Amino acid sequence: MAKNFDVVVIGAGPGGYIAAIRAAQLGLQTACIDEWQTADGKPAPGGTCTNVGCIPSKALLQSSENYEHAGHTFAEHGIQVKGLSLDLAQMLRRKDKVVRQNNEGILYLFKKNKIAFFHGRGSFAGGKAGAWDVKVEGKTPGTLTARHVVIATGSNPRALPGAAFDNKLVLDNAGALEITEVPKKLGVIGAGVIGLEMGSVWRRLGAEVTVLEALPAFLGAVDEQVAKEAQKIFVRQGLAIHTGVKVGKVSAGKDVTVEYADSAGKAQKLNVDRLIVSIGRVPNTDGLNAAGVDLKLDERGFVDVDANCRTNLPNVWAVGDVVRGPMLAHKAEEEGVAVAQRIAGQHGHVDFNTVPWVIYTSPEIAWVGKTEQQLKAQGVQYRAGSFPFMANGRARALGDTTGFVKFLADAGTDRILGVHIIGPMASELIAEAVVAMEFGAAAEDIALICHAHPSLSEAMKEAALAVDNRTLNL
Ligand code: FAD
Ligand code: NAI
């Protein structure tokens, strides 16, 4: 196999494998190195997202939601389920199968696009601009020479000081997806995206879940009105959420005890069977030999890049979780495509203003653009329009009328500045808002577009109409 490449990508997560595919499509000789492996040592490309992130978490969210529906909402539809029981081992096997299908899909795409895949660890071994040496250690050891290198090495979970992950009692995201018996009591540190998604999974399956969050505000980065609604719903569902706490000592023995000060400063103890720690993630540059080639990292350990994902080294680029910006799979992919195109001498486009966020709880939470609190802080004059799913026919037929859609539009030009959704299928509905914002649409544009009836998307049109106080069904 050729050892000289136009592009060598280190890491085959969403940032890396997509960069490799786009580079190959553009006619560049491309290699991709990834070290992730299955329990029996086989390559498992797809990174955090495929192996222990987006995909398995969504598989378990779907399974646990089905279980909850069968137990609690089917009867309302006239469907009686007798002898309902949980086969957790099968649920986990299904999740693993979904992951494996994705791993294999990526391996197939590598083959189809004639990308040389190396299973092992990649690191800088020297070289210079236009001819970087990248060492591969693993099943196919050797040294590759690359005209361009794309670093896409992702991120790792952040541990609580003094409470290392053992993935038996103190769990990171990988451990949280592998619990083989539903814990009676589950603790979650950090009410962020992972904490709420994984907390929801295990609550639905029967665990008593307590979430401890350091910040006083729940979901502080989310539009306040949405965050308040979400907190109310999650508490009603049974999640015990304590905000403004200061987590102290964590002791793991037979079970786990978390000592913390509550929001009033009072000492408290939480005793749980398992503890998920989801307090953010840190960039992963382990074993890259960044220092050996003077690759610049920023003060937080991210690979330092400019707006175009260029590092301080000529022809060395970095994308995804290992660089600044939101740690999202689709952001990593966009950067991967843009970098491949820049390498090929084309234009690369990533619009950070229209990166959508989704929290896959039930109801789902999704947003794009500015929150009301951001607009207020920036002194932007805006108009808001909301529409509740309670008044949407399709939501009523679905039996899921929680939440609302909210549009925020510039008071002068009517241009859409942000869209916030809490409710059924918010993850799908948000796409319309992303397209609208990308095309610089006004709220009136959405209000003028014909939306199918009955569909949840009508709530988008109605919320856009509400910006001008013209809702029709409320
Ligand atoms: P990664 O996916 O982390 O991939 C990096 C790859 O590089 C890994 O395979 C790693 O093994 C490999 N690697 C690292 N160093 C080397 C080396 N030196 N040599 C060879 N290989 C190396 N995002 C969403 O958008 N939607 C979601 O629903 C979502 N859910 C998530 C759920 C969980 C539980 C978690 C933890 C994350 C979730 N994310 C989600 C975030 C998403 O997973 C990341 O943003 C995304 O995976 C980042 O992609 P990446 O390519 O930058 O890095
Ligand atoms: P997060 O940043 O979403 O949330 C971490 C939470 O922990 C914050 O609310 C923070 O205030 C809190 N926290 C930090 N230190 C704490 C402490 N010592 N004690 C108590 N609380 C503390 O991070 P999370 O949930 O770990 O997820 C990491 C990233 O992975 C996310 O930011 C997101 O980018 C990505 N992700 C995306 C998903 C999606 O798109 N649906 C799903 C899951 C993860």
Side-chain angles (χ1 to χ4, degrees):
M1 196 175 286
K3 296 289 166 111
N4 290 310
F5 294 93
D6 294 317
V7 182
V8 169
V9 182
I10 308 178
Y17 90 78
I18 289 291
I21 290 175
R22 186 67 192 125
Q25 283 177 344
L26 290 163
L28 299 162
Q29 282 281 330
T30 305
C32 186
I33 311 166
D34 191 275
E35 63 183 348
W36 209 298
Q37 56 181 32
T38 59
D40 53 355
K42 297 207 174 83
T48 300
C49 176
T50 298
N51 291 294
V52 290
C54 327
I55 299 300
S57 63
K58 267 79 249 177
L60 286 187
L61 277 156
Q62 188 60 54
S63 298
S64 60
E65 193 170 2
N66 290 350
Y67 179 66
E68 186 162 71
H69 282 317
H72 298 288
T73 64
F74 276 11
E76 155 98 20
H77 291 262
I79 304 167
Q80 300 299 337
V81 181
K82 294 216 173 69
L84 178 70
S85 67
L86 174 68
D87 183 349
L88 180 58
Q90 167 57 18
M91 202 177 272
L92 296 176
R93 271 196 301 275
R94 175 187 176 274
K95 179 254 313 172
D96 292 340
K97 191 173 156 198
V98 174
V99 167
R100 201 60 206 140
Q101 284 166 341
N102 280 273
N103 296 144
E104 279 161 11
I106 296 166
L107 287 168
Y108 165 77
L109 289 171
F110 281 157
K111 214 182 242 172
K112 182 178 165 224
N113 286 285
K114 301 191 172 46
I115 294 162
F117 175 67
F118 294 87
H119 188 206
R121 169 164 287 201
S123 61
F124 284 99
K128 57 181 187 317
W132 294 104
D133 294 329
V134 181
K135 187 165 84 178
V136 184
E137 290 164 287
K139 295 244 165 75
T140 44
T143 301
L144 317 180
T145 304
R147 206 156 60 72
H148 290 263
V149 177
V150 181
I151 301 166
T153 47
S155 62
N156 288 322
R158 183 199 306 279
L160 263 179
F165 296 114
D166 61 10
N167 274 342
K168 291 191 176 76
L169 291 170
V170 181
L171 315 174
D172 61 15
N173 54 293
L177 292 158
E178 285 294 336
I179 307 176
T180 50
E181 199 180 323
V182 179
K184 219 164 147 326
K185 290 186 177 180
L186 174 71
V188 177
I189 312 262
V193 201
I194 295 180
L196 292 173
E197 290 187 355
M198 296 317 299
S200 295
V201 165
W202 294 105
R203 179 199 58 73
R204 290 169 190 167
L205 299 181
E208 190 183 301
V209 180
T210 305
V211 186
L212 300 180
E213 164 60 42
L215 291 177
F218 178 69
L219 285 178
V222 174
D223 186 85
E224 235 170 59
Q225 196 187 344
V226 171
K228 281 204 178 116
E229 180 74 6
Q231 187 169 10
K232 223 168 47 192
I233 295 167
F234 297 151
V235 168
R236 207 186 304 138
Q237 289 173 348
L239 285 186
I241 302 171
H242 302 281
T243 55
V245 310
K246 195 166 184 326
V247 173
K249 193 167 163 215
V250 175
S251 327
K254 238 176 97 228
D255 47 22
V256 191
T257 303
V258 182
E259 295 173 37
Y260 68 98
D262 66 18
S263 57
K266 197 161 162 243
Q268 303 280 3
K269 265 189 193 172
L270 173 71
N271 197 259
V272 289
D273 305 310
R274 297 272 193 290
L275 182 71
I276 297 175
V277 176
S278 46
I279 57 168
R281 298 177 63 82
V282 291
N284 171 28
T285 51
D286 301 346
L288 252 188
N289 188 27
V293 285
D294 291 326
L295 175 73
K296 192 172 164 214
L297 307 184
D298 71 14
E299 62 287 351
R300 294 187 302 152
F302 289 92
V303 175
D304 200 38
V305 287
D306 69 9
N308 290 333
C309 293
R310 281 176 207 277
T311 70
N312 66 311
L313 302 176
N315 289 14
V316 178
W317 312 73
V319 300
D321 280 13
V322 78
V323 304
R324 83 284 171 270
M327 288 185 167
L328 295 173
H330 40 284
K331 175 265 193 183
E333 292 182 8
E334 293 298 298
E335 286 180 335
V337 168
V339 160
Q341 298 198 170
R342 287 174 194 133
I343 290 173
Q346 297 187 359
H347 176 68
H349 170 85
V350 183
D351 185 352
F352 281 95
N353 298 313
T354 54
V355 174
W357 277 84
V358 179
I359 307 179
Y360 293 83
T361 42
S362 180
E364 292 182 344
I365 299 170
W367 72 97
V368 58
K370 303 278 190 225
T371 61
E372 257 194 280
Q373 60 266 32
Q374 282 174 324
L375 294 177
K376 279 182 189 147
Q378 291 166 9
V380 177
Q381 299 297 309
Y382 66 92
R383 293 195 297 168
S386 301
F387 190 81
F389 284 105
M390 188 73 86
N392 174 275
R394 183 69 192 278
R396 278 198 226 112
L398 273 177
D400 189 354
T401 53
T402 37
F404 55 86
V405 176
K406 176 159 94 174
F407 269 64
L408 302 172
D410 187 282
T413 64
D414 197 36
R415 189 179 175 134
I416 301 166
L417 302 174
V419 176
H420 304 271
I421 310 172
I422 174 165
M425 304 306 279
S427 56
E428 302 295 334
L429 294 175
I430 199 66
E432 179 178 8
V434 176
V435 173
M437 286 183 66
E438 195 61 53
F439 282 94
E444 177 72 6
D445 292 322
I446 300 298
L448 283 171
I449 291 172
C450 181
H451 287 66
H453 176 76
S455 71
L456 296 171
S457 73
E458 287 171 291
M460 299 288 283
K461 178 185 172 101
E462 290 277 11
L465 279 165
V467 170
D468 196 33
N469 290 319
R470 289 197 280 133
T471 51
L472 296 165
N473 283 288
L474 193 66

